C-alpha cells in the first residue's frame, strides 16, 4: 500500500516514522484506542460530533526530532505557527523534498501518537497539541484506562500552559 520508508524518505536522525491510514476518531473509538471527547472550554453544552468523523492523513509521515517543540507551550496559536515555520526552514536544509506541518486534525494526532507509542514506547504527546485551526487540542496518556482526550472550543489567541504543537514531516 505504501512505498518503503527508506525509499520514500532518506532517514534523518531523530525522526519517528509513521504510516497513517486515514482513520477517523469514530473508527478508532470502536477499536482498542480509548478516546474521550471533552466538552468545549468556551462553549457550554457542545460535544465532539464535528470532529468524530473527520479523516486523518494517509501515507508516510514522521515526527520531527524531539517531538513536541517544548518552547511552544503557553504561546498563542499564531506564535506556535511561527515557531513551526522557523523549524521548517532549518529542516529544509536537511531534506528539501519534505516539509514540517502540524497535525491537521485530531484523528491524525491520535494515530501518530498511538503508532509512535506502539513502535517506540515514546509518548510524543506528553501534554496536549493543537490541531486544525488551533481551537482543538489532543492529549495522550499511554495508561490503557486513560487513552486520548480531545478538547475543542479553545480560542486560538489563548496562550495555554499545557498546549503545544506536534511537528510532523510530510512530502512536499
Amino acid at each position: 500500500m505504501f512505498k518503503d520508508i527508506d525509499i520514500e524518505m532518506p532517514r534523518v536522525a531523530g525522526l519517528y516514522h509513521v504510516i497513517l491510514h486515514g482513520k477517523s476518531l469514530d473508527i478508532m473509538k470502536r477499536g482498542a484506542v480509548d478516546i474521550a471527547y471533552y466538552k468545549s472550554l468556551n462553549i457550554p453544552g457542545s460535544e465532539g460530533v464535528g470532529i468524530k468523523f473527520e479523516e486523518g492523513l494517509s501515507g508516510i509521515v514522521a515526527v520531527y526530532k524531539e517531538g513536541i517543540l517544548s518552547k511552544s507551550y503557553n504561546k498563542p496559536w499564531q506564535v506556535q505557527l511561527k515557531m513551526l515555520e522557523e523549524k521548517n526552514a532549518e529542516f529544509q536544509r536537511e531534506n528539501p523534498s519534505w516539509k514540517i506541518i502540524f497535525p491537521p486534525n485530531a484523528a491524525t494526532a491520535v494515530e501518530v501518537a498511538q503508532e509512535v507509542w506502539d513502535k517506540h514506547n515514546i509518548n510524543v504527546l506528553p501534554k496536549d497539541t493543537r490541531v486544525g485551526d488551533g481551537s482543538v487540542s489532543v492529549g495522550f496518556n499511554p495508561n490503557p484506562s486513560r487513552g486520548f482526550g480531545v478538547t475543542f472550543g479553545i480560542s486560538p489567541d489563548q496562550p495555554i500552559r499545557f498546549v503545544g504543537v506536534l511537528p510532523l514531516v510530510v512530502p512536499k
Side-chain angles (χ1 to χ4, degrees):
M1 185 172 184
F2 299 105
K3 292 181 183 177
D4 181 82
I5 290 174
D6 290 324
I7 295 169
E8 188 72 24
M9 176 182 185
R11 293 203 178 255
V12 175
L15 291 182
Y16 302 110
H17 294 82
V18 181
I19 297 178
L20 301 179
H21 299 279
K23 295 177 182 175
S24 71
L25 292 185
D26 190 55
I27 289 168
M28 287 185 240
K29 189 147 180 80
R30 284 189 242 133
V33 179
D34 181 29
I35 301 167
Y37 298 102
Y38 295 113
K39 290 196 182 297
S40 166
L41 298 178
N42 299 325
I43 309 168
S46 64
E47 296 175 6
V49 174
I51 58 174
K52 271 177 68 174
F53 302 104
E54 67 185 7
E55 212 169 86
L57 285 177
S58 292
I60 299 169
V61 303
V63 179
Y64 181 63
K65 300 286 184 183
E66 292 87 25
I68 293 178
L69 299 173
S70 56
K71 293 179 184 176
S72 71
Y73 289 107
N74 203 25
K75 305 281 188 212
W77 179 232
Q78 291 306 319
V79 174
Q80 291 171 337
L81 289 180
K82 185 74 178 157
M83 296 171 110
L84 210 57
E85 280 177 31
E86 290 167 6
K87 275 288 180 193
N88 203 35
E90 288 175 29
F91 181 80
Q92 290 291 298
R93 290 190 284 275
E94 269 185 275
N95 194 330
S97 65
W98 288 63
K99 66 179 180 178
I100 301 175
I101 63 166
F102 60 90
N105 55 40
T108 297
V110 168
E111 198 172 357
V112 166
Q114 185 69 54
E115 187 89 5
V116 174
W117 176 258
D118 290 346
K119 287 188 176 164
H120 303 284
N121 207 35
I122 292 167
N123 183 3
V124 293
L125 296 176
K127 296 184 183 177
D128 287 359
T129 186
R130 287 194 199 249
V131 300
D133 62 0
S135 67
V136 177
S137 73
V138 179
F140 172 57
N141 184 331
N143 179 331
S145 65
R146 298 289 298 280
F148 292 90
V150 179
T151 307
F152 45 99
I154 302 167
S155 166
D157 297 331
Q158 188 177 0
I160 303 175
R161 182 177 53 82
F162 57 85
V163 179
V165 293
L166 176 66
L168 300 180
V169 182
V170 300
K172 281 177 107 175

